């Protein structure tokens, strides 16, 4: 016996990856439905060797469905997630709407799988921001060994993190720069993204940071440990898929770079690629379509007593969104919604 699964936002970047990952991991599915807006009714999406025709979310009845993987924006989630949850279907949500709600667990299975049990308060589980997900996978095993005091992180985030229109903008703007008359003005982003970097993701906050930076702080505290101090600078770069992060960590206890490398090698979800030679590290193009969070450039920070630097790369549509959501569904199935 398997589960009845709804993929909500099945025509989007994250929704399509959810369908791919459910099939790849042979998630025990009895019945699956692809949902999107009315404009996509009948649009075909792949699920393993089969194709599904999208249905209109607005007309869908979630009664009798076990799990809904949501990958639509916060506004639409606000409208539809409570309807699904009330019908008895557990929502695993990718938007930021419920992440900071104390009655909704925020889960990265490698870090806090047991938090899934708290889903019963609202029948909703939240998935973190893509930049947070890969970072906490890297931080958790090091925190367990040497207690993290403070983290300074700079991100290099791909355009797929802003949805399918952003991918088109980078593609068309890049081509347009070479073809007179086909120039593409910034639309999704406030400045040119082709051959450029933009130090601004999401809205500005009162203190001068951006909401994306604030999310990394708040989510790390909720998932890992409220005592960790974190400061972030989030930057959009002209990469299609794959987020990269430069992470500086200050610990309570001394942690040798060799031991850190060994700990990370043994930790779930992580692959260490760290040869000190040209090409002996990972770049975003190599992480596309993969499950792992890759760690490279592990080295001591000699400017502080107990410090390390590292480079962290992962597929933002997978570990940052779809894979994490499917992993949550697996944990939910194993711990709480057993079948068969
Ligand atoms: N991309 C990432 O790295 C990432 C990471 C973590 C979280 N997220 C979050 O995941 C969500 C989806 O992101 P995405 O990158 O997949 O976006 P996307 O490529 O732009 O796709 C959006 C999806 O939402 C559907 N949708 C939008 N409004 C809807 C409505 N009113 N009713 C029903 N369906 C609606 C769209 O359907 P139509 O095609 O019919 O319009 C489409 O399937 C967002 O909340 C995003 O913040 C994304």
């Amino acid at each position: 016996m398997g589960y009845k699964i709804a993929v909500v936002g099945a025509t989007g970047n994250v929704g399509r990856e959810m369908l791919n990952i459910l099939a790849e991991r042979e998630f025990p599915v009895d019945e699956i439905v692809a949902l999107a807006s009315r404009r996509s009714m009948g649009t075909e999406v792949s699920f393993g060797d089969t194709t599904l025709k999208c249905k209109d979310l607005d007309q869908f009845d979630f009664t009798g469905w076990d799990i809904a993987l949501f990958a639509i924006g916060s506004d639409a989630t606000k409208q539809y997630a409570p309807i699904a949850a009330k019908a008895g279907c557990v929502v695993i949500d990718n938007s930021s709407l419920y992440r900071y709600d104390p009655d909704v667990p925020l889960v990265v299975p490698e870090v806090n799988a047991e938090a899934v049990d708290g889903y019963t308060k609202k029948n909703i589980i939240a998935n973190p921001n893509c930049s947070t997900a890969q970072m906490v996978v890297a931080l958790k095993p090091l925190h367990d060994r040497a207690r993290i005091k403070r983290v300074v992180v700079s991100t290099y985030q791909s355009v797929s993190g802003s949805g399918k229109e952003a991918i088109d903008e980078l593609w068309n703007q890049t081509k347009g720069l070479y073809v007179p008359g086909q120039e593409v003005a910034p639309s999704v982003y406030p400045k040119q993204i082709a051959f450029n970097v933009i130090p601004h993701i999401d809205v500005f906050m009162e203190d001068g940071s951006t909401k994306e930076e604030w999310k990394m702080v708040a989510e790390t505290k909720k998932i890992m440990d409220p005592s960790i101090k974190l400061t972030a600078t989030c930057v959009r770069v002209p990469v299609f898929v794959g987020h990269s992060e430069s992470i500086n960590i200050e610990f309570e206890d001394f942690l040798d770079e060799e031991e850190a490398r060994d700990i990370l090698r043994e930790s779930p979800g992580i692959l260490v690629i760290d040869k000190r030679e040209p090409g002996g590290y990972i770049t975003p193009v190599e992480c596309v379509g993969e499950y792992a969070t890759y760690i490279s450039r592990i080295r001591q920070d000699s400017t502080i007593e107990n410090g390390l630097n590292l480079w962290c790369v992962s597929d933002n549509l997978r570990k940052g969104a779809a894979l994490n959501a499917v992993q949550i569904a697996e944990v939910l199935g194993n711990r709480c919604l057993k079948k068969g």
Side-chain angles (χ1 to χ4, degrees):
M1 264 201 16
Y3 297 86
K4 289 180 72 170
I5 304 285
V7 173
V8 184
T11 53
N13 289 323
V14 175
R16 285 175 191 271
E17 281 297 348
M18 284 171 166
L19 289 164
N20 289 337
I21 291 169
L22 286 165
E24 279 167 27
R25 292 171 77 90
E26 298 179 349
F27 190 89
V29 169
D30 257 7
E31 201 176 336
I32 189 156
V33 62
L35 302 171
S37 75
R38 188 162 304 156
R39 357 174 231 282
S40 300
M41 254 175 80
T43 300
E44 292 193 340
V45 289
S46 301
F47 173 61
D49 295 333
T50 60
T51 47
L52 307 172
K53 280 201 165 84
C54 284
K55 294 188 176 165
D56 179 7
L57 169 62
D58 199 49
Q59 299 298 314
F60 189 72
D61 180 2
F62 285 92
T63 310
W65 290 76
D66 299 302
I67 301 172
L69 301 174
F70 265 64
I72 55 180
S74 290
D75 290 346
T77 302
K78 196 172 189 172
Q79 188 179 347
Y80 296 105
I83 296 172
K86 205 167 164 215
C89 176
V90 183
V91 171
I92 300 175
D93 180 34
N94 269 277
S95 81
S96 57
L97 186 67
Y98 293 104
R99 288 180 195 155
Y100 319 107
D101 183 329
D103 291 338
V104 173
L106 179 63
V107 178
V108 174
E110 292 88 342
V111 179
N112 65 339
E114 66 294 339
V116 160
D117 300 353
Y119 83 93
T120 47
K121 287 190 184 142
K122 287 202 167 157
N123 239 11
I124 298 174
I125 302 168
N127 219 59
N129 181 267
C130 36
S131 312
T132 310
Q134 67 184 68
M135 181 182 67
V136 295
V137 167
L139 293 182
K140 174 72 164 77
L142 302 176
H143 185 53
D144 287 346
R145 160 64 183 80
R147 310 300 301 167
I148 294 173
K149 276 165 66 175
R150 178 170 183 260
V151 176
V152 182
V153 56
S154 300
T155 69
Y156 306 73
Q157 297 181 220
S158 68
V159 296
S160 58
S162 322
K164 51 192 177 184
E165 286 168 12
I167 294 180
D168 292 343
E169 183 155 311
L170 173 59
W171 176 248
N172 293 326
Q173 213 171 63
T174 304
K175 281 193 301 180
L177 282 170
Y178 290 102
V179 186
Q182 286 190 22
E183 295 83 0
V184 174
S187 156
V188 175
Y189 296 114
K191 294 206 178 208
Q192 177 183 317
I193 185 64
F195 305 105
N196 203 7
V197 297
I198 305 174
H200 165 205
I201 301 181
D202 211 331
V203 296
F204 277 93
M205 314 278 288
E206 248 175 40
D207 67 355
S209 62
T210 64
K211 187 85 183 279
E212 185 83 352
E213 292 156 358
W214 176 86
K215 285 175 192 168
M216 291 189 80
V217 176
E219 294 175 19
T220 303
K221 286 178 184 289
K222 181 166 176 181
I223 298 166
M224 271 183 62
D225 186 339
S227 73
I228 294 175
K229 292 181 184 165
L230 188 141
T231 180
T233 301
C234 293
V235 180
R236 190 70 68 190
V237 297
V239 167
F240 284 108
V241 178
H243 287 1
S244 307
E245 297 173 345
S246 159
I247 308 178
N248 175 266
I249 313 161
E250 184 176 0
F251 298 95
E252 299 272 358
D253 304 327
F254 180 73
L255 179 57
D256 173 64
E257 63 187 26
E258 283 304 329
E259 190 185 346
R261 198 173 285 111
D262 288 344
I263 290 170
L264 291 168
R265 270 203 190 102
E266 297 297 314
S267 298
I270 293 177
L271 275 177
V272 174
I273 309 275
D274 195 15
K275 290 189 185 145
R276 293 175 172 180
E277 61 188 37
Y281 41 79
I282 202 89
T283 62
V285 291
E286 294 146 308
C287 79
V288 178
E290 301 292 333
Y291 288 161
T293 293
Y294 291 91
I295 311 288
S296 304
R297 305 288 323 278
I298 303 162
R299 62 205 190 278
Q300 227 78 47
D301 173 2
S302 59
T303 65
I304 49 175
E305 207 175 338
N306 299 323
L308 280 181
N309 288 306
L310 50 88
W311 175 247
C312 172
V313 180
S314 197
D315 182 330
N316 53 294
L317 299 177
R318 292 203 151 211
K319 187 58 203 167
L323 171 63
N324 199 68
V326 173
Q327 286 175 306
I328 292 173
E330 289 168 350
V331 174
L332 181 71
N334 289 333
R335 289 177 73 93
C336 315
L337 300 182
K338 284 209 168 59
K339 291 257 177 176

